[in-house]
Every structure is written in structure tokens, then in C-alpha cells.
Amino acid sequence: MKVPSLEAAIREAGSPVELLRSSQYPAFEFPVKPEFSNWRSEQQAWREACVLLDQSHHMSDLFISGPDAFRFLSEHGVNSFANFGPGMAKQYVAANSEGYFVGDGILFYLDDGSFDLVSNPSVINWVQFHLENSGYDVRAERDDNSNRRKGPPKLYRYELQGPTAAAIVEKLTGAPVPQVKFFHMTDMTIAGVRTRALRHGMAGQPGFEIFGPWEDGERILDAILKAGEGLGLTRGGGKAYATANLESAWIPRPMTAIFGDNEKAYREWLPATAVGSLGGSMDSADIRDYYHTPYDIGYGRVVKFDHDFVGRAALEEIAKNPARDKVTLVWNIDDVMSIMRSQFEPGLPAKFIELPKARYAFFQVDKILHKGSYAGMSTDVGYITNERAFISLASIDRSLSEPGTQVTLLWGEEPNSSKPAVERHRQVEVRATVAPAPYPQIIRDSYRKS
């Protein structure tokens, strides 16, 4: 049976908000083993020694090539491409014509002049649509994540992060650790096989993302595990990996701004099943109230007006006076414990808090209040062992973004939706303190050096 388009599904549901509220799309997808030991120890490994994360399965790849590939990507991303060349990577950010955030991912500029955009579906879908409906001389090949693809992925990806990552790489290669800049790539030979490696820093720690053809993956993995013996290497599962962004303050699922008149053709092309679910206490009936600008979520630093791109005129105006800042919200411990305690008390409990990641929708949007007035949106939420803190990443009015500001967050839906991860519950207030993003001092210091 043919899947209806997103536009058709919205017409039937009555509005984008109504459609996404009842969507059965999972909150997040990590088709890897949830835990190899336990998620607490696995979180600690990237701070104290080294964690090995398998990135081969949960993201999608869009391989882009052709004479116009560079120009196309430049004209559909807010980033500057002025000094971007083969052997480099960047956080690629796309906006709609009104300057609102559509999606982001890591864009690899490969040595043969082609590109690999690695991301969740939001930006992959957007870029693929414009590739297929433009006059650019560009080719694209898509490789979806392991929940949605038949057969193995095209590439393996193994992430090594932590203080002992460099020593492990030296054992792996039998050579000094490559002197490569942040978000630059280098070649390595591991177990007699040529691999590529991106110099990366996922949770404020040094590391490399090693990748290559899938058929070499098992051999490379065995070599990594052997090299990590005696150096504290710990395999990380899906539960721990899902929380790494909370430490680095990357928001993985901001609402995608694709519901305006200018995006109608895109919605007619996009299957209804390709867009995630909406959850949380934000209760506006207008989907635009869930949008972010790149400035709201910490991407103002990558917006560059040195080229023409979709949304440039709108972002030039937004840049003059951004409305919000990205911050961390540190949830009040007593209020968190009260939510947990409600599961053991008579009556209707508060919304269950899953540990370590408490997000229960693909687009998690919880309302922030300050002295009773609306102040912003809380997004990704969970527990980080390394800080003994329960936090969320938020976009808040600039006047309230000073660390130490006290706000209130509404936790739970009212009314309860029909999403798979939503049980009958009552909505509660949670006190929270505004803190910097990233929250850990060690990560803020390391990012300043990158």
C-alpha cells in the first residue's frame, strides 16, 4: 500500500501539530546493543579513559557527487564554504527561506571531490528533495540507518573518545598519533587495512571517528578492541551513546521547519512516515511556535553571509537581534525525585522518567516558564553520570539566559497523547536553574581550544 504524503496526512489530521502529536515514530533509534556493561560506566569511560561507540547503524548517509555538488551544498547551507576542501568536515546546517532551522548533520568532504552527509533523516530528506528537484548537475546515493535499510550499511564507523584514545590509536597504527586539526581527516593503516579517520571531540574529549567499507568493519573492530586492552577501553551501547550530546550540548532533534507555504512541494514529496513524533508540554496549536532559528540553538557561529543560500535574507535580519540563547537547564533534584516517587504512590503518577535518556518523542518540546510567563523551550533531556546531574538542553529568552536564573519547566503532556512511550500521567512543574551550554566546565574549556 502506498504511503500518503506528509501534506495529505496533515490535511487528514487537521494540522501539523495534531498529526505529529499522535505519530507512532520512535523517540530515537539506536539499532545497536543497549549496554555492553552498564550505561553509567560507559558514560564515565569517555571522561576517564576511552569509550568505543559503534556509529555504523543509527545515522543515514547521503553520498553527493557531480560537477555542481560543492555549489549545491553551499547554496543550501548557512555555513561558509570559503575554506572548505577535501579532507575536511563541518557541522552542516540547513534553514528554510524564512531562516528557521530545518536540520543539521556532519558533512564530509572526501578526497575524490564527493561528499558524505551523515545525519538523522530531517536534513537528509531536505537535501535529497532539493537535489532531485533542481537543475544542478549532482548525483546522490542514500544509505539509510539499519532500522530502515535492507542489508548491511555501506560504511562502518567507530568512535574512540577519551583521554586514552590517542594511546590506543598509536597501538592500532604502530605510529605516533596523527597531528590533524579538529574536524579534519587523515589516513590510517589498521590491521593492514587503509582507513579514514576524522579528528573529532564528542563529549569534550579527544578522539577519532574511524570509517571505511563495511566489509573491513569486523577486522577493524577486532583490532581496536585488542589495542584497547590495558588502556581502559570500554564499549558503549545505545543507552550511553544517546546521552553524549547532553554533555557536549548538541541538540539532536529540534523541530524541523517544513510546514509553511513555501515548503508545500516538499511535503507533497515526503512520505508521512518520514517525519518524527512531537511530544512534551508545549501546547501551542501553531507549529511555527515550535520552530527555532540557528541562533536559538547555538548555530549562530556557523551562519556566514559570505555566500548566497536559502534563508540568507531572513537570517540577516534575525542576526541583528536574536531572540533566544541555547542554555542548559539543571533540574531540581527534589523535583526529579518527586516525579520518580510518584510511580510508587497512589493516584495518577507524573510522566515516567526513563534513565539515562528521558526524551519520549522524536521532537521533544517542553514549555519553560519564568514567573508564570512563557520563556522558551526545553528539548533533549536526561541524566549524565559524570556531573551527577539531570539536565535538558533549552532555547530560552536572552534576558533569562544568565547562569543562575531560576525557571520552571512543565513535564508531561496535557492531554496525554497516543504515542507508544506515553502512559497515563499528570503534568507537573519542575524547578530548574539556567547553566551554560555545554554544562561541564571541562568541555567548555576544551571547546575553546579546538
Side-chain angles (χ1 to χ4, degrees), residues 316-333:
E316 284 180 319
E317 291 302 310
I318 292 170
K320 295 175 182 177
N321 187 28
R324 292 179 180 156
D325 284 327
K326 180 176 72 171
V327 299
T328 300
L329 296 183
V330 182
W331 292 29
N332 180 276
I333 295 174

Side-chain angles (χ1 to χ4, degrees), residues 354-391:
E354 192 80 42
L355 294 179
K357 200 61 171 283
R359 188 176 77 224
Y360 57 88
F362 188 87
F363 303 116
Q364 182 77 30
V365 190
D366 290 307
K367 184 186 290 188
I368 303 169
L369 302 174
H370 182 256
K371 297 181 179 179
S373 298
Y374 175 69
M377 293 178 281
S378 170
T379 60
D380 214 42
V381 56
Y383 176 76
I384 49 177
T385 300
N386 293 315
E387 299 294 323
R388 297 293 192 270
F390 194 87
I391 68 171

Side-chain angles (χ1 to χ4, degrees), residues 84-381:
F84 192 45
M88 301 172 65
K90 67 168 67 222
Q91 192 82 28
Y92 184 77
V93 178
N96 70 10
S97 58
E98 296 178 279
Y100 290 109
F101 177 88
V102 170
D104 68 319
I106 303 297
L107 181 65
F108 293 78
Y109 197 158
L110 305 176
D111 288 338
D112 61 0
S114 66
F115 301 84
D116 180 10
L117 181 59
V118 183
S119 177
N120 68 66
S122 294
V123 73
I124 295 282
N125 292 332
W126 177 262
V127 170
Q128 184 178 353
F129 167 77
H130 287 286
L131 277 170
E132 294 179 3
N133 294 274
S134 68
Y136 296 86
D137 187 359
V138 179
R139 298 175 297 279
E141 180 183 0
R142 181 164 176 163
D143 191 35
D144 275 318
N145 74 38
S146 292
N147 278 354
R148 302 174 186 278
R149 176 203 342 95
K150 293 182 179 179
K154 289 178 65 67
L155 301 176
Y156 67 81
R157 292 185 188 277
Y158 301 127
E159 182 92 14
L160 289 170
Q161 294 287 333
T164 64
I168 292 172
V169 168
E170 289 187 346
K171 282 185 65 176
L172 266 175
T173 61
V177 65
Q179 296 301 306
V180 59
K181 294 181 180 178
F182 183 74
F183 258 43
H184 284 61
M185 286 178 273
T186 186
D187 291 339
M188 293 181 181
T189 299
I190 299 174
V193 177
R194 178 183 177 271
T195 70
R196 303 300 311 278
L198 173 70
R199 169 69 176 84
H200 200 359
M202 184 194 64
Q205 297 295 334
F208 289 90
E209 181 179 314
I210 300 167
F211 62 97
W214 173 254
E215 52 268 26
D216 296 331
E218 187 172 349
R219 185 174 181 178
I220 299 300
L221 177 60
D222 289 344
I224 292 172
L225 292 172
K226 184 176 180 180
E229 293 176 358
L231 290 170
L233 182 65
T234 299
R235 293 195 71 173
K239 285 187 175 182
Y241 191 9
T243 65
N245 70 290
L246 293 171
E247 292 198 31
S248 63
W250 173 62
I251 299 177
R253 303 289 189 271
M255 174 58 69
T256 182
I258 59 170
F259 299 99
D261 293 341
N262 293 337
E263 295 82 46
K264 183 178 179 182
Y266 175 56
R267 296 193 301 275
E268 291 174 337
W269 172 87
L270 189 67
T273 53
V275 180
S277 57
L278 170 63
S281 61
M282 184 72 174
D283 56 2
S284 174
D286 186 351
I287 193 66
R288 292 174 61 90
D289 290 339
Y290 299 78
Y291 287 0
H292 298 83
T293 75
Y295 293 90
D296 296 340
I297 52 177
Y299 285 136
R301 57 185 171 76
V302 308
V303 179
K304 302 297 180 185
F305 301 114
D306 60 355
H307 64 298
D308 290 327
F309 61 88
V310 175
R312 172 175 171 164
L315 282 170
E316 284 180 319
E317 291 302 310
I318 292 170
K320 295 175 182 177
N321 187 28
R324 292 179 180 156
D325 284 327
K326 180 176 72 171
V327 299
T328 300
L329 296 183
V330 182
W331 292 29
N332 180 276
I333 295 174
D334 290 337
D335 291 351
V336 173
M337 296 310 297
S338 177
I339 292 170
M340 293 182 173
R341 189 174 61 247
S342 74
Q343 310 300 320
F344 300 90
E345 296 175 332
L348 191 63
K351 177 72 187 76
F352 186 76
I353 288 181
E354 192 80 42
L355 294 179
K357 200 61 171 283
R359 188 176 77 224
Y360 57 88
F362 188 87
F363 303 116
Q364 182 77 30
V365 190
D366 290 307
K367 184 186 290 188
I368 303 169
L369 302 174
H370 182 256
K371 297 181 179 179
S373 298
Y374 175 69
M377 293 178 281
S378 170
T379 60
D380 214 42
V381 56

